[in-house]
Amino acid sequence: MFALSSAALLSFVLLAAPAGASGPSSLPVCESGTRHLELTADTPRTTYEVCIHPGVSSSFLFNVKLKRVELPGRERFRVMQDETGLLLVPTRALKDGERVPVTVHFQDGATPASVTFALVVHPAEAERQVEVLLQPRTVASYREGEQRALEEVQQCQQEKARLRTECAGQVGLTGLFAQKLIGEEGVPSKDIRESISAHPGNTLTATKAHSYRSNTKRREGGRKVVRLVVVQEFHNNGKTAWTPAGAVLVGSQGQEWKALGLWPLEPIAPGKRRLVVVEVEATEEQARGTFSLKLWNQEGGGQSERFEGVTFP
């Protein structure tokens, strides 16, 4: 009965656009491209949150020379610094949701004399480059910003057109057929409840678990891309509500696939159960083997739950 009742959930998540957070989160919003900060003498003193992730480099570029860098727990980072740049690679010693302050001081009487960042360890994402400008914007920089904005709008329009073409106005099973997500073999499913194990200290336990695989029309590097879905019924053993905020599928070598769909983004009350659906895309070759699923709580400061033994049909 569980597999049949999950079909409606599977149809929804396969047709849905990538999900975003539905409410305020203790984790910052991570920018995917280059982040630009402009500081002047009138800029209010504030701490800028920057997403970091173990093993992923984050670079800070400045248009003035650096005097010194204050980084508590420096031994937990690989640090490279030159006159106008700082590169940080966090190690696995840092935990999800942890916040590390770093203050950069400038030479030559720059105004402001320093800037402080809060490095927030995100379970899946990192901001790869932050550019800091310590002077009033020129006409050229305004034009550059305008051009970047136009390019981002164009990308959004192209993505919107792609989604419209994929869905073609169809919903439910018809929509799955229209997108060629259902072939002659249907959507293979697998009961994985017996193979899944929760990490010690998890707040959630999985009382039911199924995985699904479907085809797509896309190829990457000549390799066929498939969609993978994990449907789990979670029981909240904690004393506070647990609200899904994000998820990644982690391979045996540490490679990560960020969730394209996470549904529903609703709290699981203490002592209650709720189905949670996670969807990712990978190549057929990447979909083989055993994975772990990592989810994090909207109210938990980035604290993650981890489940080992995820496999797909």
Side-chain angles (χ1 to χ4, degrees):
M1 290 298 294
F2 175 71
L4 289 175
S5 63
S6 298
L9 298 176
L10 177 64
S11 298
F12 176 89
V13 77
L14 287 174
L15 288 170
S22 59
S25 171
S26 55
L27 289 172
V29 175
C30 307
E31 296 192 19
S32 57
T34 299
R35 181 175 175 183
H36 298 269
L37 295 177
E38 296 162 4
L39 307 180
T40 68
D42 299 325
T43 302
R45 299 289 292 180
T46 187
T47 298
Y48 299 92
E49 293 183 326
V50 176
C51 298
I52 61 172
H53 185 68
V56 179
S57 63
S58 294
S59 61
F60 298 79
L61 304 177
F62 305 87
N63 67 327
V64 295
K65 292 183 178 181
L66 309 188
K67 184 176 182 180
R68 70 178 189 279
V69 175
E70 296 176 2
L71 177 61
R74 194 183 185 99
E75 67 279 1
R76 298 189 296 170
F77 293 82
R78 286 168 44 207
V79 181
M80 286 171 275
Q81 180 182 339
D82 60 18
E83 283 190 341
T84 59
L86 175 67
L87 182 86
L88 301 175
V89 183
T91 67
R92 299 287 174 183
L94 291 155
K95 304 303 181 184
D96 292 344
E98 188 171 352
R99 293 168 182 261
V100 180
V102 56
T103 300
V104 179
H105 297 266
F106 307 117
Q107 297 183 26
D108 303 328
T111 304
S114 65
V115 62
T116 299
F117 302 96
L119 307 177
V120 185
V121 184
H122 195 282
E125 300 177 357
E127 295 182 69
R128 303 300 296 270
Q129 185 164 301
V130 180
E131 293 186 359
V132 182
L133 186 68
L134 269 72
Q135 61 186 27
R137 294 191 68 178
T138 64
V139 172
S141 70
Y142 276 108
R143 288 176 178 170
E144 182 183 350
E146 182 181 9
Q147 181 61 35
R148 286 197 305 269
L150 289 174
E151 290 173 355
E152 291 174 0
V153 169
Q154 185 178 14
Q155 289 175 357
C156 289
Q157 290 174 339
Q158 291 172 348
E159 179 65 13
K160 182 178 179 181
R162 184 185 69 81
L163 291 173
R164 282 182 173 176
T165 300
E166 280 190 1
C167 295
Q170 305 299 330
V171 296
L173 291 177
T174 303
L176 296 178
F177 276 110
Q179 296 183 57
K180 298 184 179 179
L181 295 175
I182 295 183
E184 293 181 356
E185 73 278 10
V187 178
S189 67
K190 184 178 183 180
D191 188 338
I192 57 174
R193 174 64 190 91
E194 295 301 320
S195 67
I196 280 187
S197 61
H199 264 216
N202 270 16
T203 301
L204 305 178
T205 54
T207 55
K208 298 177 182 178
H210 273 71
S211 64
Y212 300 83
R213 176 181 54 81
S214 73
N215 297 323
T216 73
K217 297 182 290 184
R218 299 197 306 104
R219 302 183 77 86
E220 287 184 2
R223 298 179 178 180
K224 187 176 180 181
V225 174
V226 296
R227 289 193 183 183
L228 308 172
V229 172
V230 182
V231 180
Q232 291 179 271
E233 182 183 70
F234 290 124
H235 181 270
N236 183 358
N237 302 297
K239 297 181 180 180
T240 59
W242 201 99
T243 305
V248 291
L249 189 69
V250 184
S252 59
Q253 303 301 316
Q255 63 272 51
E256 297 182 348
W257 292 269
K258 184 182 176 182
L260 298 176
L262 177 62
W263 180 83
L265 299 177
E266 297 178 5
I268 307 172
K272 300 297 182 180
R273 300 181 181 185
R274 183 182 294 278
L275 288 177
V276 175
V277 185
V278 179
E279 177 193 4
V280 302
E281 277 192 351
T283 65
E284 278 190 318
E285 291 79 4
Q286 292 170 336
R288 298 169 186 156
T290 303
F291 303 83
S292 59
L293 182 66
K294 183 165 68 172
L295 305 98
W296 55 94
N297 186 2
Q298 189 176 100
E299 292 84 15
Q303 182 179 0
S304 60
E305 307 277 312
R306 193 155 180 154
F307 297 86
E308 304 288 352
V310 176
T311 58
F312 297 93

